[in-house]
Amino acid sequence: MTPLPRPRPIAEITGIDRRRFDAEIRPAGQPVVLHGLAAEWPAVRAARSGAEEAVAYLKRFSHAEPVAAIVGAPEIEGRFFYTPDLTALNFTRGQSPLDPFLDRLLRDRDAARPYAMAVQSIPAPQLLPGFIEENRIDIVADAVTPRLWLGNAIRVAAHFDLMENIGIVVAGRRRFTLFPPDQMANLYMGPIELTPAGTPVSLVDLAAPDLDRFPRFAEAMAHAQEATLEPGDAIYIPYHWWHGVASLDPVNLFVNYWWNDARQDLGNPYDTLLHALFALRTLPADQREAWRIMFDQLIFRPDGDAFAHIPPEAQGVFGPADADNYQRMRATLLRNLA
């Protein structure tokens, strides 16, 4: 069997500031490791002293209110995923006060097969009030609220986000394996209506890929990039890049910043995709081709204004994406969907 290609290392830079990040990193559209971006955070310094110190630091900000958590049996070996028939998830959702959750992480550190545990994507002011006042970065807008991820040695399947993302490893180590958006077909996307965390995931186990079942994954790996981050390191993940994440230590904390500069008042493209799956996918081949041409011309055309031949006053929804046209388009959609 031909050996599976190894991912190439993600490019690494140090000393980044907001100007360079906006002028060079984001326009390049490639992932980057921002080495030591948060090295001076008090939370990172505590984590470098040990797991007990990291937990003690977090408890300074914790509260008694229950927080959402997920738990998987030891048999899943830390991989939050589906049941074998893909009709359910292999973990359960519940709630726990944060301090007992943190204590369990410490207690299970030496267990050979612990329960997989995670508190995922909770806004920092909600989970740990006061944390962000002591631990900040200045390369994203102040309006972007950081989210916190706590857990033990778990694995998250490759997935994409509808955001740009800067993630910072605070405690533990994390391995990121990234794939560009054009590798979607080689990643074998799972069900779209039932997902572990919102957006679809790859069905391929990055730790043990089954090339008999997923042969095209070898091509995806030929385009993959990978890095293992230490506490204080950060990663920039561009919009829609697929990424699988493995937390490598029994106590870990991750902080991420999601944002999307696209207008948020014109509808969600993901909703459009879901509608298209019903409205277009089952059409006869010749009809699908006709609609592909229509979408290419009206939506994805790269070489100019597809509506320039229509006088501006007659363009209607072909015109500027302003408030009037938004209301006109919304009314048209509601009428057509009725």
Side-chain angles (χ1 to χ4, degrees):
M1 179 181 294
T2 302
L4 195 65
R6 289 296 307 159
R8 73 176 187 271
I10 298 174
E12 183 175 305
I13 62 172
T14 57
I16 192 72
D17 59 20
R18 177 74 177 272
R19 182 204 61 78
R20 185 182 175 197
F21 180 67
D22 286 339
E24 300 178 18
I25 304 304
R26 293 180 65 198
Q30 291 289 317
V32 174
V33 171
L34 309 171
H35 179 67
L37 180 70
E40 299 307 313
W41 277 14
V44 171
R45 291 200 297 266
R48 285 177 172 164
S49 297
E52 291 88 351
E53 289 79 1
V55 166
Y57 179 83
L58 297 180
K59 284 186 175 183
R60 288 179 45 208
F61 308 99
S62 65
H63 51 77
E65 294 297 318
V67 299
I70 59 176
V71 177
E75 289 73 22
I76 74 171
E77 297 182 336
R79 187 190 185 205
F80 289 131
F81 196 61
Y82 294 100
T83 54
D85 61 5
L86 303 183
T87 62
L89 301 175
N90 69 354
F91 57 89
T92 57
R93 302 184 188 275
Q95 291 193 326
S96 170
L98 185 58
D99 282 5
F101 180 92
L102 293 169
D103 291 339
R104 180 65 181 266
L105 290 180
L106 291 177
R107 190 165 66 248
D108 284 356
R109 279 179 298 170
D110 297 324
R113 300 183 71 200
Y115 279 83
M117 301 170 50
V119 169
Q120 295 185 314
S121 190
I122 297 182
Q126 176 183 333
L127 184 65
L128 297 174
F131 178 89
I132 59 175
E133 282 70 28
E134 293 190 7
N135 302 276
R136 292 181 175 275
I137 59 173
D138 58 7
I139 64 173
V140 297
D142 290 339
V144 179
T145 300
R147 292 175 172 268
L148 303 182
W149 309 67
L150 282 159
N152 52 9
I154 59 176
R155 294 186 287 137
V156 175
H159 61 285
F160 62 89
D161 296 322
L162 300 175
M163 305 276 184
E164 294 180 69
N165 188 6
I166 286 180
I168 297 171
V169 173
V170 176
R173 296 166 299 135
R174 253 176 165 79
R175 181 173 61 244
F176 291 82
T177 307
L178 273 61
F179 306 87
D182 63 10
Q183 290 304 304
M184 185 191 78
N186 298 324
L187 291 171
Y188 297 90
M189 190 172 76
I192 201 168
E193 68 274 22
L194 174 68
T195 70
T199 56
V201 305
S202 168
L203 296 182
V204 182
D205 184 350
L206 296 183
D210 183 349
L211 295 183
D212 290 332
R213 183 180 177 190
F214 306 117
R216 294 194 309 274
F217 180 69
E219 178 64 17
M221 284 296 283
H223 297 270
Q225 300 182 43
E226 192 170 82
T228 298
L229 274 61
E230 302 283 342
D233 292 338
I235 187 169
Y236 169 63
I237 302 177
Y239 181 85
H240 224 288
W241 274 65
W242 291 73
H243 49 287
V245 186
S247 302
L248 304 178
D249 294 305
V251 177
N252 63 82
L253 169 63
F254 184 67
V255 180
N256 89 294
Y257 300 76
W258 273 323
W259 76 96
N260 186 332
D261 287 343
R263 288 182 57 172
Q264 302 300 303
D265 60 344
L266 299 180
N268 187 333
Y270 193 71
D271 295 339
T272 303
L273 172 65
L274 293 175
H275 190 193
L277 285 171
F278 286 92
L280 299 178
R281 185 171 58 93
T282 60
L283 292 175
D286 59 332
Q287 294 184 28
R288 288 201 311 275
E289 176 61 14
W291 281 107
R292 185 194 64 78
I293 293 169
M294 183 77 76
F295 271 71
D296 283 348
Q297 175 73 6
L298 301 184
I299 307 299
F300 301 114
R301 180 176 177 174
D303 58 349
D305 187 353
F307 316 115
H309 58 285
I310 303 176
E313 64 273 13
Q315 286 184 355
V317 297
F318 291 158
D322 56 23
D324 289 341
N325 262 341
Y326 172 71
Q327 292 301 326
R328 184 181 292 111
M329 176 62 78
R330 188 173 186 274
T332 301
L333 285 171
L334 291 173
R335 185 171 62 250
N336 289 345
L337 290 171

